[in-house]
Amino acid sequence: MAQVIRLEAEEARRLKNDTAFQKFVENVREDQMKIFAESSASDVDAREEAHSIVRALNQIEVILDAKVNAEIILDHKQRK
């Protein structure tokens, strides 16, 4: 179990520190925010899709942070 947590944390840190990945995520987020901001009042589907994509990107970041934090918690528990 601890080995899986450490492996997932390392992979999460690698992604969080990868400038290409971060740039890609930021570009997708900006594109979706632009779609949201520039859509007409009747273009509900485009706004909903853009919102869903932004929420998914946010969820990816939350999951990556959770993987890193799980290792921190594991280390703290093992020191006690």
Side-chain angles (χ1 to χ4, degrees), residues 29-48:
R29 180 177 280 118
E30 288 174 6
D31 289 346
Q32 298 310 306
M33 295 299 286
K34 186 176 178 181
I35 289 169
F36 190 86
E38 294 177 357
S39 65
S40 65
S42 63
D43 204 356
V44 175
D45 290 340
R47 281 193 306 278
E48 286 182 3

Side-chain angles (χ1 to χ4, degrees), residues 2 5 17 19 29 32 46 48 54 58 63 65 67 71 75 77:
I5 291 172
N17 292 329
T19 56
R29 180 177 280 118
Q32 298 310 306
E48 286 182 3
V54 170
N58 291 342
I63 291 169
D65 288 341
K67 298 295 183 183
E71 183 181 43
D75 288 343
K77 285 181 178 179

Side-chain angles (χ1 to χ4, degrees), residues 2 4-10 12-13 16 64-80:
V4 171
I5 291 172
R6 292 190 191 290
L7 178 61
E8 289 176 345
E10 177 58 33
R13 269 194 299 280
K16 287 173 59 84
L64 292 175
D65 288 341
K67 298 295 183 183
V68 172
N69 290 335
E71 183 181 43
I72 292 169
I73 292 167
L74 176 67
D75 288 343
H76 181 71
K77 285 181 178 179
Q78 288 182 343
R79 278 188 239 136
K80 287 187 173 185

